[in-house]
Amino acid sequence: MLIILLGTVVGSKNRKQSTVLFMINLILAIYGAFSDSFSYIIDGNERSVALIKFFTMSAYITSCILLVTFTVYMVSVIMEKSELSYDIIMPVAALSVIDIIFLLVGFMNGKLFYIEDYSLMQGPWKSYVSVLPAICILYLYCVLIRYIKIIGIKQVLAFSAYMFLPVVSSVMLVLFDIPDYTYTTVGISFIIIYVIIQAQIVTESNIREEIFFEASHIDSLTGLKNRRTYEEELKSIEKDINVGVVFCDINMLKQINDSEGHEAGDELIKKFAKMLTDSFSDGAVFRISGDEFVVILDSIKEDEFNKQIASFSKLNRANDGIASCGYLYGSNKDIKAMVNEAEEKMYEDKDAYYKRTGYVRRR
């Protein structure tokens, strides 16, 4: 159970409510198993009578609390797929409170268990300990059957393991003189639940987180990094390293959108984005607005930067000057200032483009 708990903590970055509840159940189960085991270990030690009573009672009460928290967890999993109110846990909570009162009374009058010759002896009420939990479990089975089509047979069987195995252990304990394996069966049940349900929930949660990250950091049209990523990466670039900056603005995009439609404009944007990624494969390429693109090449040598610029400029001319661009190379003292200077060079190139082609520039 400790391994599963650690796996759940490490494996889920953005935890859903059901995952948090599963972790709470694991923690309670671990504590209950510890209390139960420790009471057996110190049984018969005359100096540990008080501890025997405390940990034995802790194991009993923890099992009642665990039944409630498991019910809340089960309901939260169902709620992820269907409308359901937490009011459905009230019968389990009420019966568990009654059961705890029964345990406390049995503890105080010695009917639940008692100490004889420094060893734990089971009292006459021991046989009735599982009655109220059994009623709760029957109720939970009814809930599962009601929602079986929504959550699926695999999840129903996984939840059933938690309810079935401890019941079998309790029945065997009543019928035969064997050690109490309730928390062992609870641990096995959580392994089954983890494999069938919780691991899938954690995986789906991480996938959703990755999708959200991509949606918020990647431009959907071109697949390039977007302005948000651009702003973040500008802050992370090291000072005093050699940086190459390329600032580009697509020419005639507004005219193409107006005359040929936005689909044609989108195709032009995607075409230019591919030109940038092909030419600057070692750099970070960003689409920072509708027609503006920035490329950052950090830790690049000047001759290599100039070689890539020459190759890209040739490709740009071969495509009728699809974009106006400004280039800058130098040591990074202020990366934003370098980008701004490259932008100014781009505007100079754009003015030259419109003078050369005779097109009227539209804003």
Side-chain angles (χ1 to χ4, degrees), residues 233 237 241-247 276 279-286 294-302 304-306 308-309 327-330 332 335 338:
E233 295 203 17
I237 296 176
I241 63 170
N242 292 328
V243 176
V245 178
V246 181
F247 197 110
L276 286 175
S279 299
F280 304 104
S281 57
D282 296 333
V285 185
F286 308 90
V294 173
V295 182
I296 305 291
L297 300 103
D298 57 2
S299 301
I300 188 172
K301 294 181 178 180
E302 187 171 9
E304 178 61 27
F305 177 71
N306 291 333
Q308 292 187 29
I309 292 300
Y327 315 106
L328 187 69
Y329 180 87
N332 174 31
I335 187 63
M338 292 184 68

Side-chain angles (χ1 to χ4, degrees), residues 1-5 22 26 29 158 161-162 165 183-199:
M1 286 190 287
L2 278 171
I3 293 173
I4 294 174
L5 179 61
F22 180 76
L26 277 176
Y162 176 85
L165 295 178
Y183 280 105
T184 302
T185 56
V186 166
I188 295 172
S189 303
F190 276 123
I191 293 173
I192 296 172
I193 291 171
Y194 180 80
V195 170
I196 297 179
I197 299 176
Q198 196 53 45

Side-chain angles (χ1 to χ4, degrees), residues 212-335:
F212 174 77
F213 179 86
E214 288 189 5
S216 60
H217 287 75
I218 302 298
D219 177 58
S220 59
L221 178 62
T222 63
L224 300 179
K225 298 176 180 180
N226 63 12
R227 187 175 188 90
R228 177 177 179 176
T229 314
Y230 165 73
E231 296 289 350
E232 291 175 357
E233 295 203 17
L234 284 187
K235 297 175 183 178
S236 66
I237 296 176
E238 296 179 23
K239 297 286 186 179
D240 301 322
I241 63 170
N242 292 328
V243 176
V245 178
V246 181
F247 197 110
C248 298
D249 186 291
I250 296 178
N251 294 321
M252 304 293 292
L253 180 61
K254 182 173 176 56
Q255 288 88 335
I256 290 173
N257 282 333
D258 292 344
S259 61
E260 301 180 32
H262 285 280
E263 288 187 3
D266 288 347
E267 290 302 316
L268 184 65
I269 291 170
K270 289 191 286 187
K271 176 182 178 180
F272 183 66
K274 188 175 187 307
M275 288 171 56
L276 286 175
T277 54
D278 288 346
S279 299
F280 304 104
S281 57
D282 296 333
V285 185
F286 308 90
R287 183 187 180 201
I288 63 171
S289 70
D291 54 3
E292 291 184 331
F293 298 78
V294 173
V295 182
I296 305 291
L297 300 103
D298 57 2
S299 301
I300 188 172
K301 294 181 178 180
E302 187 171 9
D303 58 344
E304 178 61 27
F305 177 71
N306 291 333
K307 185 185 299 183
Q308 292 187 29
I309 292 300
S311 176
F312 173 72
S313 297
K314 181 178 179 181
L315 179 63
N316 191 28
R317 289 192 298 271
N319 284 272
D320 300 321
I322 188 173
S324 297
C325 300
Y327 315 106
L328 187 69
Y329 180 87
S331 177
N332 174 31
K333 302 296 183 182
D334 184 344
I335 187 63

Side-chain angles (χ1 to χ4, degrees), residues 85-136:
S85 171
Y86 277 117
D87 291 342
I88 204 167
I89 72 171
M90 294 309 296
V92 175
L95 289 176
S96 296
V97 170
I98 295 172
D99 197 27
I100 290 174
I101 294 172
F102 169 79
L103 292 172
L104 290 172
V105 172
F107 168 69
M108 289 185 290
N109 64 19
K111 300 292 185 180
L112 183 62
F113 64 84
Y114 57 93
I115 304 297
E116 184 177 286
D117 295 330
Y118 313 115
S119 295
L120 182 71
M121 306 297 293
Q122 302 297 337
W125 286 13
K126 172 64 178 179
S127 301
Y128 305 108
V129 167
S130 301
V131 173
L132 291 179
I135 295 173
C136 293

